[in-house]
Amino acid sequence: YVRSVVRELARREGLHLTVVTSMPEDFDALDGVTLIKAPESVRSYGSRVIWRERNLARIVRRQRPAVVFSPTIELPLRKLRVPTLMVVHDLGPAQSPAMYGWGRWLRYHSFLRHSLSAATRIVCVSAATEVQLASSIRVDMSKVAVVGEAGGSVHSSRTTESPRAREHPFVLHVGALLPHKNFNTL
């Protein structure tokens, strides 16, 4: 998701993009993108929280962006002095602690309400997520918009198609076989 968003934004004329990431190899082939490398330790939740609180506001002051885009529900406790756009992919960890684990539920609840109130704008990746957000958490819904997750371009070097595939169409499901994925409807 993040790679696709960054790739599309990097194509826009007149837009300068700074990406803070612990995986710079995902973005270093893009022209017009400034990379700020975060340590690999930020991939774990506790280290990420500490690093974000210590460093993100300083990076924002130095870079002076027009907007900060957070592809997760994690914004710093100290308010950033620029507009923030935050993405809510789903509310599973907040609504199903038994499925996601109590540790993740606690982490989610630790920052969710703060981040929702601190964000200037909130993007839900589906109407279902927007409905869940409106019905389960107090949030200013005038800040919320639905922008669906679209897959990036898929290019394959394989051009042959099995004759059997044409005779028997199939559906590829790449999600987990968990109840909230609604596999039975598919």
Side-chain angles (χ1 to χ4, degrees), residues 18 26 52 67 147 158:
T18 300
D26 288 349
R52 182 180 64 236
V67 66
V147 179
R158 294 183 65 176

Side-chain angles (χ1 to χ4, degrees), residues 70 72-80 82-88 91 108-123 133 137-144:
S70 176
T72 67
I73 59 141
E74 299 178 15
L75 290 174
L77 292 174
R78 290 178 286 171
K79 188 161 176 71
L80 298 174
V82 297
T84 53
L85 174 65
M86 183 182 77
V87 179
V88 179
L91 296 174
Y108 213 82
H109 272 280
S110 298
F111 283 98
L112 181 61
R113 291 188 199 289
H114 163 75
S115 294
L116 290 169
S117 67
T120 309
R121 295 285 294 174
I122 300 163
V123 169
L133 188 64
I137 298 169
R138 183 181 295 164
V139 63
D140 177 1
M141 294 305 289
S142 70
K143 300 187 328 181
V144 178

